Amino acid sequence: MTARALRIWLFAVAALAYLCLPGRARAQTPVSLKTQVSSREVEVSEPFTFTLTALTDKGSSLPQNPSLSVPNGISVRGPSVAMQQQVTLQGGSFQQKFGISATWTLEAQRPGRYRIGPASVSVGNQRASGDVIEIQVSPPGTRPRPRGSDPFDPFGFGIPNLPGFPLGDDGDAKDDLPPFPEELRLPQAEEPIAFLRAVVTPARAVVGQQVTLKIFAYGARGPFRETNTSEPSREAFLAHVIVENSYSETTHRVPIGGETWHAKKVREVALFPIRTGKLVIGPMRMGFEGRGYPSTGPHRGLVRQSVPLTVEVVEPPEQGRPPGYRVGDVGRFALSANVEPREISAGDAVSVVAKLEGTGNLPLDLKTPQKTGVTWLEPTSVDEIEPRGSSIGGYRKLTYVVRIDTPGEVDLGELSLPYWDPERESYDVAKVPLGNVKVRPSAGPAPNTDAKDDPLAGVLAPRKTLGPVPARSAFLGDRLAYWIALFAAPLGVVGIGTGRRLGQRVFRRWNERRASQDTLAKTALSRAKEALQQGAHAEAASQSERAVLAMLEAKLGIRARALLKRELSARLESEGLDAKLAERVGELLERCDDARFTGSTDAEGASALVAEAVSLVRALGQTSKKP
Amino acid sequence: MIRRSLVAAALASSLLVTPGRAGAEAPETALSEALDRLAKGAHDDAIDRLESLADTGASHPDLSYDRAVAYVERARSPNARPGDLGRAVAALEETLLARPDDAEAERALERVRGEIARRRARAGAEPVVAKTTLGRAVVGVVTETTWTLLAAFGSALLTLGLALRSLSRSERRRLAATTGAAIGALILIVAGGLSYAARSYRLGSQPAVVVVGDARLLDADGKPLVQKGGIPEHVSMPEGTSLFVKQRQGTLLRIEWGSTEAWVQASQVRLLTRE
């Protein structure tokens, strides 16, 4: 085989080997995994934790979807997932990694040796697995217990309350109870035998302000252990655990409602709300395990649950808010900084190490001063944040690399952090001046600031004064009067026109009718007079009657012919005619009837009849109908 | 010139008495400080000051314009942040809402939108065009005030025509009055209806602008929309897109973008102040 053929063969083998490698090995995302267990030797039913920490470089995909494979005989709860950040110094430069830590709580159900894991997470399109850890599980009660903090129960098995027994809880012992924390005091028990009590303070906070959740467990049947726990949900909060479990907490004897209860703090968590609203902290469930506590199932203990709590979260006031304040920066902080070196060449960089100390929600970065020719790169951070009593505090060191391109004495300005101080209920600004850096002109070429490729260069020039604004009048369409006027005007014209025509028509008809009755009456009177002259007395009486009847219809709208004579007077009066006049009308009509039907009227009588008719027609002409 | 200064002074004093601003510095002082910092390259500081001013209720087209300047300057600097150009678009849109005839702001808006499109094209993204709904297109032909005035003119013409028709005895005049009334009625119905629609659009939605690289469209449960057979037309909105917000539900906003109705995360858009 020639050397060339050998090279080709080696290349082919290498290429084949590369192709045969699983995709995962070829394009592996750098992810660092760390697997831990809380104890490698446990007893049956003794809870222990299994934690996988997965970190990737800044900018890579974050690990997610953690899962854990466990053998038969091991029960698993969780995981609870927390965000992680790690800063390391490698090769003279800082490296930042981000990721998660997933913690499962496990319990073995029978003795033996178990291989737990591996736990795995997905990173991008791949899955990365951690280590397998072996656990030795002993039968219950075979391992020496950690010394309990209850002075009356050094072995942690629990002492039942036996009447008369000196170490039990009887009435005589109540007066001699050792002192206990006030936060455990209660006027009465919330549930029989055992209960969990959750307290959050304060119940009203601003975004980023620490609220402390404390959960206490109370048992009436002597000492107990925590088992079968489910943690309270708290999605709307960043959490920092102060008391992780109750194993190392002291059990106190507390008098409640005339009885002595065993009580201890089982959780304390500093919570930082991340949004506004009524945020809910879910209930915590816990099993009370010990003699005297009836278990509700295998290894479940006596299960109790705390009540869910609500925290009202608002933003800090806008009044007096300093520029640059970011919602969530809450606490009390102090800033210090160190700049090195103080003399550089243009284009070189200085290091600014800022130390932010205090209590509260320490922000991840600071407001950096900006200046033309000065470029601040993303900081690296190292922190030590831990509980200080019931508060979370510590420090965060942020290291910035600042490149300066402008020669001369450059004032770096100041680093600042505006924050809300919940204790003083006011804003404050932590700041530190950074001083000057002497920048020598660089020997190299000046940085390229050519803006010809920048389409936005010079597009907008700032406006230094506030110019006039067109007066904005209210929208016409928002006024009800506009819409009414819009349609009422034409409708009004239509209405007026129609009304006018209708009125005219009615008036005309009324006039016509009135005119016809008047004319009729006058004609009848003329004819009556003519008949009188001709000696036709009956005709004169008939025409007189017609004239009066026509006038009654014209003025009162009464058709008197249709009425009986005896009804007439009453009807005329009811229509508003004077009683005397009505009587005269009645008499005249009767006389007319007599004259017409008997023909016995003489000239004098007929003349009087016509004269009375003329008088009545005139009188009726001046009357009007009763409204 | 004196008149202009007086108007500016009156405006500044009106801003000073805006409720909720007690104790805050005068807008012109804050503006001057912000521009001073902008000139020194302190973009973040300038933006913080201009945003604080807006948060305290100070509203003026030139303040919005200067905010746009600050965002554009930061977008051009090494400290550029995603969404800077979208925020500049929002600020310029706000300027134009308050002062529709601001030609400089209009030109700047075109340039910024052009730059967003250029950057998207450089990143390989397709240009996105959202067709507006027929209703908004018709209503948007002229301003709401024009529609209301047109409707008022139609009403007046109809009223006059009816009155003349009613009073006039001459056949020719009656014919002319009837024709005028018919035209008035037509204008009243069309312009009145469009005026009402414009008012409903104005009161029922608020203009907004996308201020992130791509705002994912969601359903009412907050799950991303999935395109099947070309429906919906789009599944995300690019930076600088103008849209209308119709409803808020928790952290989600129901939006109308062209003919697309969907939900987006409230943090991905900036609502524009009208006044």
Side-chain angles (χ1 to χ4, degrees):
Chain A
M1 190 181 282
T2 63
R4 186 167 181 272
L6 183 64
R7 273 203 304 274
I8 291 170
W9 183 82
L10 282 172
F11 175 78
V13 169
L16 189 65
Y18 176 79
L19 288 171
C20 292
L21 275 173
R24 182 177 147 186
R26 267 184 272 142
Q28 212 154 39
T29 304
V31 52
S32 67
L33 298 164
K34 188 177 164 190
T35 309
Q36 290 170 298
V37 286
S38 58
S39 175
R40 286 177 184 263
E41 291 182 12
V42 294
E43 283 182 8
V44 170
S45 300
E46 183 185 344
F48 63 100
T49 59
F50 185 101
T51 304
L52 176 71
T53 306
L55 298 167
T56 56
D57 289 335
K58 192 179 175 188
S60 307
S61 304
L62 276 176
Q64 49 192 338
N65 302 329
S67 71
L68 173 67
S69 59
V70 291
N72 286 336
I74 299 280
S75 65
V76 58
R77 291 192 303 273
S80 66
V81 180
M83 297 301 290
Q84 293 283 318
Q85 183 187 3
Q86 190 184 67
V87 180
T88 53
L89 188 63
Q90 212 171 55
S93 65
F94 285 106
Q95 274 204 331
Q96 271 184 291
K97 285 177 182 284
F98 294 90
I100 58 168
S101 80
T103 303
W104 291 265
T105 305
L106 310 175
E107 271 183 39
Q109 285 149 15
R110 38 181 193 272
R113 197 162 185 84
Y114 294 91
R115 285 169 62 81
I116 315 284
S120 64
V121 289
S122 57
V123 181
N125 298 325
Q126 305 156 19
R127 266 200 101 70
S129 301
D131 299 328
V132 175
I133 294 183
E134 275 199 356
I135 302 290
Q136 180 64 47
V137 180
S138 322
T142 54
R143 285 184 61 233
R145 288 199 174 262
R147 286 190 72 80
S149 48
D150 185 347
F152 301 95
D153 184 19
F155 299 105
F157 287 115
I159 300 170
N161 296 336
L162 301 173
F165 189 70
L167 295 180
D169 290 322
D170 56 25
D172 299 336
K174 279 173 204 128
D175 298 335
D176 304 324
L177 291 179
F180 59 88
E182 275 303 302
E183 61 187 5
L184 291 172
R185 188 179 292 281
L186 265 184
Q188 60 185 40
E190 293 176 2
E191 283 181 79
I193 305 177
F195 63 91
L196 288 176
R197 179 169 71 99
V199 179
V200 66
T201 48
R204 185 182 157 85
V206 299
V207 178
Q209 180 182 349
Q210 179 184 332
V211 294
T212 308
L213 170 69
K214 291 179 183 175
I215 301 175
F216 305 101
Y218 295 80
R221 301 266 175 93
F224 54 83
R225 281 190 303 151
E226 169 187 344
T227 185
N228 184 31
T229 308
S230 101
E231 299 295 328
S233 62
R234 53 204 186 216
E235 293 87 357
F237 299 88
L238 291 175
H240 201 299
V241 177
I242 300 171
V243 173
E244 196 169 2
N245 55 49
S246 62
Y247 302 137
S248 57
E249 289 295 305
T250 308
T251 302
H252 298 274
R253 295 202 299 160
V254 180
I256 300 174
E259 289 181 2
T260 301
W261 288 63
H262 283 69
K264 60 182 170 184
K265 190 191 290 178
V266 292
R267 292 291 182 278
E268 183 170 358
V269 187
L271 299 173
F272 297 94
I274 55 175
R275 61 178 169 85
T276 57
K278 292 195 170 173
L279 310 185
V280 176
I281 301 169
M284 174 183 174
R285 199 191 65 209
M286 189 189 104
F288 287 71
E289 191 177 48
R291 293 176 192 172
Y293 295 95
S295 177
T296 49
H299 314 298
R300 287 170 61 88
L302 175 64
V303 177
R304 288 287 189 260
Q305 188 168 294
S306 66
V307 292
L309 301 170
T310 303
V311 181
E312 190 181 350
V313 180
V314 295
E315 275 196 15
E318 285 190 352
Q319 181 93 14
R321 186 179 283 185
Y325 173 75
R326 288 171 303 190
V327 173
D329 290 348
V330 176
R332 184 171 286 184
F333 307 113
L335 254 178
S336 58
N338 183 33
V339 181
E340 279 185 353
R342 290 283 178 179
E343 193 173 334
I344 57 167
S345 297
D348 286 350
V350 295
S351 150
V352 177
V353 181
K355 188 176 182 186
L356 176 68
E357 285 180 281
T359 53
N361 185 25
L362 267 77
L364 289 169
D365 61 354
L366 298 169
K367 192 169 165 239
T368 53
Q370 290 175 336
K371 202 167 191 177
T372 308
V374 179
T375 309
W376 290 70
L377 303 183
E378 283 292 305
T380 55
S381 116
V382 179
D383 53 42
E384 192 176 301
I385 299 165
E386 58 194 2
R388 294 176 172 182
S390 279
S391 301
I392 299 298
Y395 70 83
R396 176 164 280 146
K397 258 187 193 170
L398 297 151
T399 305
Y400 296 88
V401 173
V402 184
R403 203 184 71 217
I404 308 176
D405 296 318
T406 320
E409 197 75 21
V410 176
D411 180 5
L412 282 180
E414 64 181 22
L415 284 171
S416 63
L417 173 69
Y419 63 91
W420 170 256
D421 187 334
E423 285 178 30
R424 291 205 304 246
E425 294 199 333
S426 65
Y427 287 101
D428 206 341
V429 181
K431 56 174 103 173
V432 57
L434 300 173
N436 291 356
V437 174
K438 191 174 177 184
V439 184
R440 295 183 302 271
S442 169
N448 183 17
T449 54
D450 192 358
K452 70 181 174 188
D453 288 337
D454 183 357
L456 293 176
V459 169
L460 291 97
R463 293 174 178 175
K464 293 183 177 163
T465 53
L466 301 177
V469 186
R472 182 175 285 273
S473 55
F475 286 96
L476 266 178
D478 289 343
R479 296 182 184 171
L480 181 62
Y482 165 79
W483 294 102
I484 291 173
L486 202 65
F487 294 99
L491 287 177
V493 170
V494 170
I496 289 169
T498 308
R500 189 167 142 265
R501 276 195 299 277
L502 202 64
Q504 278 175 346
R505 191 179 299 168
V506 169
F507 187 70
R508 193 168 56 242
R509 283 195 182 167
W510 183 76
N511 267 351
E512 281 169 7
R513 188 172 164 188
R514 188 178 162 191
S516 65
Q517 294 300 332
D518 273 356
T519 311
L520 200 63
K522 282 173 188 167
T523 310
L525 278 181
S526 308
R527 286 181 183 163
K529 285 174 187 170
E530 281 173 18
L532 190 64
Q533 284 172 0
Q534 292 166 7
H537 298 148
E539 176 62 18
S542 176
Q543 289 301 334
S544 297
E545 184 186 28
R546 185 175 294 171
V548 170
L549 290 175
M551 209 58 193
L552 284 175
E553 193 171 346
K555 287 294 174 184
L556 304 176
I558 295 173
R559 293 179 185 274
R561 278 187 208 284
L563 297 171
L564 296 174
K565 289 290 183 291
R566 62 175 181 273
E567 296 170 350
L568 185 61
S569 295
R571 177 71 192 276
L572 292 176
E573 280 178 47
S574 72
E575 290 294 339
L577 198 66
D578 180 56
K580 205 169 172 182
L581 197 57
E583 194 181 334
R584 281 175 62 196
V585 170
E587 280 176 11
L588 179 76
L589 293 180
E590 272 185 26
R591 281 165 60 196
C592 288
D593 275 352
D594 287 347
R596 275 196 298 134
F597 293 117
T598 62
S600 59
T601 309
D602 56 7
E604 194 178 340
S607 176
L609 203 65
V610 173
E612 176 66 2
V614 170
S615 167
L616 272 177
V617 165
R618 193 175 297 133
L620 286 171
Q622 289 166 0
T623 60
S624 58
K625 190 176 178 176
K626 191 178 178 179
Chain B
M1 183 64 194
I2 293 170
R3 191 178 165 208
R4 190 183 162 94
S5 306
L6 283 173
V7 171
L11 281 166
S13 52
S14 73
L15 286 168
L16 273 173
V17 296
T18 306
R21 297 205 64 258
E25 57 188 333
E28 292 207 317
T29 314
L31 174 64
S32 157
E33 285 179 4
L35 294 184
D36 184 46
R37 277 159 178 76
L38 190 60
K40 289 176 181 166
H43 308 118
D44 286 355
D45 211 1
I47 288 168
D48 285 344
R49 278 164 197 278
L50 290 166
E51 288 287 7
S52 291
L53 212 50
D55 288 345
T56 52
S59 169
H60 190 283
D62 291 333
L63 287 178
S64 301
Y65 186 88
D66 284 335
R67 209 169 65 234
V69 176
Y71 277 117
V72 167
E73 289 304 313
R74 190 166 75 180
R76 295 175 57 222
S77 77
N79 299 315
R81 294 190 193 166
D84 274 350
L85 290 180
R87 286 177 197 282
V89 168
L92 289 168
E93 289 268 27
E94 222 165 75
T95 305
L96 287 168
L97 276 175
R99 192 192 281 146
D101 58 349
D102 193 330
E104 195 184 357
E106 207 165 339
R107 275 198 304 276
L109 181 60
E110 277 175 23
R111 295 283 291 274
V112 176
R113 283 222 159 103
E115 175 60 9
I116 292 173
R118 193 177 74 92
R119 290 186 184 189
R120 277 178 59 80
R122 214 162 47 184
E126 293 285 322
V128 178
V129 179
K131 291 173 201 156
T132 188
T133 55
L134 183 64
R136 279 212 190 259
V138 173
V139 166
V141 170
V142 292
T143 63
E144 183 186 339
T145 305
T146 310
W147 286 128
T148 51
L149 291 175
L150 258 177
F153 170 73
S155 171
L157 191 61
L158 174 62
T159 307
L160 195 67
L162 288 172
L164 284 176
R165 186 176 178 278
S166 166
L167 295 174
S168 176
R169 288 167 194 271
S170 149
E171 273 304 312
R172 284 179 63 190
R173 282 185 189 169
R174 282 175 66 87
L175 182 65
T178 306
T179 310
I183 293 169
L186 189 69
I187 294 173
L188 172 61
I189 290 166
V190 173
L194 290 172
S195 173
Y196 187 78
R199 181 176 178 273
S200 302
Y201 281 137
R202 173 169 55 81
L203 298 180
S205 60
Q206 191 176 356
V209 170
V210 175
V211 293
V212 292
D214 256 311
R216 195 79 170 82
L217 296 178
L218 312 170
D219 64 14
D221 299 324
K223 291 177 189 157
L225 294 185
V226 180
Q227 199 170 34
K228 279 180 190 167
I231 297 172
E233 194 180 355
H234 306 288
V235 290
S236 70
M237 296 181 292
E239 184 178 2
T241 301
S242 293
L243 54 114
F244 292 95
V245 173
K246 300 176 87 171
Q247 188 189 344
R248 186 181 190 112
Q249 190 176 289
T251 59
L252 294 182
L253 298 175
R254 187 160 72 90
I255 57 106
E256 179 190 324
W257 174 43
S259 55
T260 304
E261 279 211 16
W263 296 78
V264 292
Q265 286 293 340
S267 58
Q268 297 184 330
V269 302
R270 179 170 180 135
L271 297 171
L272 305 186
T273 314
R274 277 204 182 96
E275 304 274 338

